[in-house]
Amino acid sequence: MINDDLKGLLYEREVDSPIARVVRALSGHGAVSASQIARSTGLARSTVSTILSDLKRSNLVVEVETRSPGLGRPALAHSLNPEAGTCVGALLGLDEIRITLADVAHNVLADISMPLERDYSPERATRVVRHAIENLYKEHSLPYSGLLGVGFAVSGPLAPNGRIMRASVLPTWGGIDLKSTFAPVLQKPIFADNESNCAALAEVMWGAAAGVEDFVLFKLDLGVGGAIVANGKVLSGSSGAAGEFGHMVIEPQGPLCRCGNRGCLELYCSAASVVSLAQQRLGRATSVAEVVTLASNGDVGFQRLLADAGEAAGRGLGIVGSIINPPLFIISGGLAKAGELLLAPLRASYEKHALIKRQDLDEAAYPRFVTGRFLDNDNCMGAVGLVLRHSGRLT
Ligand SMILES: [Zn+2]
């Protein structure tokens, strides 16, 4: 039974054999060449080749062709057999629970969203998640026994034991222990991380940070969050609060923030703040999408709103740049859909506020600013990534 073999190799903590290292590299990276596996595991190329041959014979690994961008023939790569197992990522959102289903070869099989009343209870969430997963597995004719684990993306910092420290989007979830909430109902290993850390993992595994070891993700959604990735690892901090860029105080006498401080960055550049100002201007409800459309069509007022948000974001990132000095900033979240309307003023503001200026560096050494690949679904994709990378497992 290939699924049982896979579970043993992926999740038995004491197993650190060369074969387990190869299987974990494949699970974490998707389709990769033997040389890439050798590099990431530190095993000799000949050892990797022998192990891959054995794994192919036992049907746990399959050969796939990959084509790198540009010219060149397809290269031979290896991936876990997609039939060997599946993973689920779940986002516990403000008024929805979103579920993404993927196989161990990194193919996304389904992505669904279930609207819920705001601040739904943990009991309700367990019922909704269980029911949705069961339905998805039935619909796709997949065995529930093939589900390797469920990853959760949560709003707010998460303590290493899986307790939500201070829930910003789901107030009544503060102090809730995710493992004891979901494990008895799902009967599967539970993984969890802060949603911005999940978003960073999604960009590493499938998106704008593929192959990048050091970067900062800056996420402009309802609130403003972020993640710091250094040497290929997401920094969580001692209480899970690393990368909470939205609550850097940039105006000490500014308006009161939901966190209790004054003048936090997110008051000036979150999607919610932009939409709120746009609603005052229009005199009716609106959305980020409409603000972007109106600005793109030449409305100078809405262009100014987005530029002001970009200016504030750049000021905050200037501080981050002076502390961490990353080579890459990934701008993510709903407001990033504004593209250059937001990014151009953001870059200009970063240049104004960061210590190191463009003239100090060669062009290649200056930080790059790009938008994320998954502006809508990065949290959930990253929650799938937690299971595939065996990261953030709650014990
Ligand atoms: Zn705040």
Side-chain angles (χ1 to χ4, degrees), residues 263-275:
C264 291
L265 181 61
E266 79 166 32
L267 295 167
Y268 303 93
C269 64
S270 65
S273 69
V274 168
V275 167

Side-chain angles (χ1 to χ4, degrees), residues 89-91 151-155 158 191-206 215 217 219 226-227 229 234 332 374 377-387 391-392:
L91 166 70
F152 286 90
V154 296
S155 161
L158 194 73
F191 301 77
D193 205 343
N194 168 275
E195 61 181 12
S196 294
N197 291 349
C198 287
L201 186 57
E203 295 293 350
V204 168
M205 292 179 71
W206 292 280
F215 70 95
L217 178 107
K219 207 160 176 345
V229 177
V234 180
S332 182
F374 308 103
N377 192 26
D378 50 0
N379 306 318
C380 228
M381 289 291 288
V384 170
L386 293 176
V387 185
S391 164

Side-chain angles (χ1 to χ4, degrees), residues 20-362:
R21 281 154 70 185
V22 169
V23 167
R24 287 175 192 172
L26 287 164
S27 176
H29 294 95
V32 279
S33 68
S35 322
Q36 286 169 306
I37 297 170
R39 265 199 305 279
S40 73
T41 57
L43 295 168
R45 173 69 204 265
S46 55
T47 310
V48 170
S49 295
T50 309
I51 291 171
L52 286 173
S53 300
D54 291 346
L55 289 169
K56 274 184 273 186
R57 261 196 303 278
S58 59
N59 208 22
L60 200 56
V61 163
V62 292
E63 280 182 3
V64 287
E65 281 187 352
T66 59
R67 194 182 287 274
S68 52
L71 299 171
R73 284 182 307 179
L76 190 62
H78 302 83
S79 104
L80 290 177
N81 184 342
E83 292 172 10
T86 47
C87 312
V88 161
L91 166 70
L92 304 173
L94 168 68
D95 49 12
E96 63 158 356
I97 289 182
R98 189 161 178 169
I99 304 258
T100 299
L101 165 65
D103 64 34
V104 286
H106 291 206
N107 303 303
V108 173
L109 307 176
D111 176 31
I112 56 166
S113 171
M114 288 141 300
L116 289 175
E117 69 285 353
R118 288 197 171 203
D119 214 14
Y120 47 85
S121 68
E123 295 71 33
R124 176 134 161 77
T126 55
R127 284 196 300 275
V128 168
V129 169
R130 170 81 203 202
H131 187 65
I133 294 176
E134 277 175 356
N135 279 351
L136 273 182
Y137 276 69
K138 236 178 257 162
E139 229 171 79
H140 290 264
S141 306
L142 292 165
Y144 191 74
S145 59
L147 173 58
L148 294 165
V150 182
F152 286 90
V154 296
S155 161
L158 194 73
N161 62 3
R163 195 171 288 280
I164 298 177
M165 300 281 290
R166 184 172 178 174
S168 48
V169 168
L170 300 167
T172 57
W173 282 64
I176 294 292
D177 175 347
L178 280 177
K179 188 179 180 195
S180 58
T181 302
F182 286 102
V185 179
L186 299 175
Q187 297 287 313
K188 295 288 176 186
I190 303 292
F191 301 77
D193 205 343
N194 168 275
E195 61 181 12
S196 294
N197 291 349
C198 287
L201 186 57
E203 295 293 350
V204 168
M205 292 179 71
W206 292 280
V212 180
E213 293 274 297
D214 301 283
F215 70 95
V216 159
L217 178 107
F218 189 65
K219 207 160 176 345
L220 303 148
D221 267 324
L222 190 68
V224 170
I228 301 163
V229 177
N231 298 321
K233 293 217 172 346
V234 180
L235 295 188
S236 58
S238 62
S239 53
E244 289 286 354
F245 306 127
H247 299 281
M248 295 191 300
V249 175
I250 59 165
E251 298 281 359
Q253 308 305 321
L256 199 63
C257 177
R258 63 194 165 110
C259 74
N261 282 332
R262 279 192 182 277
C264 291
L265 181 61
E266 79 166 32
L267 295 167
Y268 303 93
C269 64
S270 65
S273 69
V274 168
V275 167
S276 162
L277 289 168
Q279 282 176 185
Q280 285 173 31
R281 185 157 187 260
L282 287 168
R284 60 171 171 79
T286 185
S287 62
V288 168
E290 190 187 18
V291 172
V292 172
T293 303
L294 292 169
S296 304
N297 290 342
D299 185 307
V300 289
F302 290 112
Q303 286 173 359
R304 177 61 192 259
L305 263 187
L306 292 169
D308 286 349
E311 205 280 336
R315 197 161 5 135
L317 288 187
I319 299 170
V320 175
S322 295
I323 298 169
I324 304 171
N325 195 207
L328 173 68
F329 287 98
I330 297 178
I331 313 301
S332 182
L335 203 59
K337 289 177 189 165
E340 283 302 306
L341 289 165
L342 178 85
L343 252 66
L346 186 155
R347 282 193 204 96
S349 172
Y350 177 87
E351 167 71 5
K352 194 161 70 181
H353 294 99
L355 170 68
I356 305 294
K357 308 293 183 195
R358 195 175 278 277
Q359 67 186 31
D360 299 326
L361 296 168
D362 292 338

